[in-house]
Amino acid sequence: MADVVVGKDKCAEQRLISLPLSRIRVIMKSSPEVSSINQEALVLTAKATELFVQCLATYSYRHGSGKEKKVLTYSDLANTAQESETFQFLADILPKKILASKYLKMLKEEKREEDEENDNDNESDHDEAES
Amino acid sequence: MPEAEARGRLSPGGGNGGEARGPKPAQRRHHQDHQGGGEQLGGADERAGGKQVLDRQLCSPPVSSQLPDGVNISKEARSAISRAASVFVLYATSCANNFAMKGKRKTLNASDVLSAMEEMEFQRFVTPLKEALEAYRREQKGKKEASEQKKKDKDKKTDSEEQDKSRDEDNDEDEERLEEEEQNEEEEVDN
């Protein structure tokens, strides 16, 4: 894959034409504690992002079920995020889809558990106050 | 009943697996100022506003050239890929920043980014990135020498000066913009 990527960069002008450097810079700067960014670092990050996107897409496609219809679908990507260790950091932003009814049920259960915990806390507070 | 989509901000809590990779949806806004490092991924995304999406450019050459012929990418998948790319940039930046801080530097440089790739377990990127870096440095050197050469020529030949100017303006614009950005960065550091 590395060979293909470099091969596509036939002339220097094509190296980063796919991603806007200014946009990438904005994202990088939004990270806290980052004061300034070397131009080379910006270029490398842009290039790395390009490689990453290719990597993610091909991996997801190959391991996904969209293959049959020759389409890369959201679920392919979500599965990759959940199952591959390399792409674990995407798990939160690429969650698997669930039925709304199921989700509402989960919310209710979580709330019930929280309420129970609060009740227990209140009881122990009372005890402490008295002693 | 059609399957309703419950994704994005409404991700089920179970997906986390106990790992604090990103803040829980409900708490995102409040925590973004207090937590550092990797947990900023979710909050910083929102701060970059609508600009976090690198949408259109992402899915033409880089992606479709790698997938087999005739494969399409669904609209949802495109948007997901953009988001993933933004998260990747943030993650990489945060990681690279750690290396810069270790070296007691305030400016992220190329080696920080390369170290970050290894840290993030994307070692396979390191070689192509190094090659790209070399190509970029050669190009910059070439540009610099070319413009220095032109300056020398300008002094000598004032007649052909105007002809060269219109042709080079396009090339120089990018350079100037990049240089300006660097100057702005320096100013920010001083402030």
Side-chain angles (χ1 to χ4, degrees):
Chain A
M1 190 163 68
D3 291 338
V4 179
V5 168
V6 173
K8 293 275 178 195
D9 295 346
K10 281 186 189 140
C11 59
E13 278 145 282
Q14 281 185 0
R15 75 197 130 89
L16 286 171
I17 209 162
S18 348
L19 295 177
L21 288 184
S22 54
R23 187 76 56 94
I24 294 196
R25 209 169 146 269
V26 166
I27 301 176
M28 288 175 88
K29 284 231 151 186
S30 72
S31 183
E33 297 168 357
V34 169
S35 16
S36 58
I37 304 164
N38 185 344
Q39 190 61 23
E40 284 182 348
L42 174 62
V43 163
L44 278 191
T45 305
K47 187 68 193 166
T49 310
E50 199 180 298
L51 294 173
F52 168 76
V53 164
Q54 288 167 332
C55 198
L56 175 63
T58 21
Y59 184 97
S60 303
Y61 183 69
R62 268 190 263 133
H63 289 80
S65 51
K67 239 186 315 199
E68 285 99 55
K69 300 182 190 163
K70 287 221 153 190
V71 64
L72 175 65
T73 63
Y74 176 82
S75 346
D76 297 333
L77 296 166
N79 284 332
T80 301
Q82 304 293 327
E83 277 143 39
S84 161
E85 267 199 43
T86 320
F87 295 109
Q88 264 290 303
F89 68 97
L90 297 172
D92 277 345
I93 61 147
L94 298 179
K96 291 198 182 179
K97 295 195 218 176
I98 59 172
L99 290 177
S101 52
K102 206 174 170 191
Y103 178 63
L104 290 172
K105 229 180 181 178
M106 284 169 69
L107 274 184
K108 281 185 189 162
E109 276 181 28
E110 275 182 32
K111 183 150 197 318
R112 201 167 31 94
E113 283 168 21
E114 269 180 41
D115 288 341
E116 280 177 19
E117 277 181 32
N118 286 340
D119 288 340
N120 290 338
D121 284 343
N122 287 339
E123 284 175 16
S124 53
D125 282 348
H126 278 163
D127 290 340
E128 282 175 16
E130 279 170 19
S131 60
Chain B
M1 211 159 106
E3 180 181 355
E5 293 174 19
R7 59 181 180 86
R9 302 280 139 82
L10 304 177
S11 63
N16 249 344
E19 235 184 315
R21 272 292 185 182
K24 285 196 182 150
Q27 297 163 355
R28 234 173 238 181
R29 285 205 187 272
H30 299 301
H31 280 203
Q32 79 184 24
D33 293 323
H34 299 301
Q35 292 168 357
E39 293 208 32
Q40 284 297 327
L41 291 184
D45 232 19
E46 291 171 9
R47 259 196 286 169
K51 291 185 179 177
Q52 82 243 37
V53 176
L54 301 173
D55 205 8
R56 264 154 273 145
Q57 283 100 332
L58 265 181
C59 284
S60 10
V63 178
S64 43
S65 63
Q66 293 291 309
L67 294 174
D69 283 337
V71 175
N72 284 322
I73 305 168
S74 78
K75 212 167 151 195
E76 266 187 319
R78 276 179 212 270
S79 133
I81 290 176
S82 311
R83 282 182 287 137
S86 314
V87 170
F88 175 81
V89 171
L90 283 171
Y91 183 17
T93 305
S94 162
C95 219
N97 197 40
N98 290 339
F99 283 102
M101 293 199 293
K102 268 191 212 168
K104 301 197 178 167
R105 279 173 285 109
K106 284 193 172 178
T107 309
L108 290 192
N109 63 25
S111 69
D112 294 329
V113 176
L114 290 171
S115 311
M117 291 300 122
E118 292 198 20
E119 176 89 3
M120 290 159 67
E121 296 185 25
F122 284 109
Q123 288 94 337
R124 70 192 104 170
F125 291 173
V126 172
T127 314
L129 283 181
K130 282 186 177 166
E131 288 173 15
L133 182 61
E134 286 309 303
Y136 174 75
R137 283 174 173 167
R138 277 195 304 259
E139 195 200 348
Q140 291 303 102
K141 201 175 165 200
K143 272 189 190 173
K144 221 179 178 180
E145 284 168 6
S147 63
E148 277 169 17
Q149 185 61 39
K150 271 175 217 136
K151 280 180 187 166
K152 285 182 197 164
D153 290 347
K154 267 185 190 175
D155 292 337
K156 290 177 190 170
K157 305 173 192 173
T158 45
D159 288 337
S160 50
E161 186 187 333
E162 274 164 45
Q163 283 178 22
D164 286 344
K165 231 186 181 180
S166 51
R167 223 185 335 125
D168 295 333
E169 244 165 29
D170 294 330
N171 290 340
D172 287 347
E173 250 181 14
D174 284 340
E175 244 189 42
E176 280 175 29
R177 198 167 32 103
L178 295 179
E179 284 174 19
E180 264 176 24
E181 285 181 357
E182 277 179 33
Q183 281 173 14
N184 289 340
E185 285 164 7
E186 286 173 23
E187 284 173 28
E188 282 173 34
V189 172
D190 290 336
N191 290 339

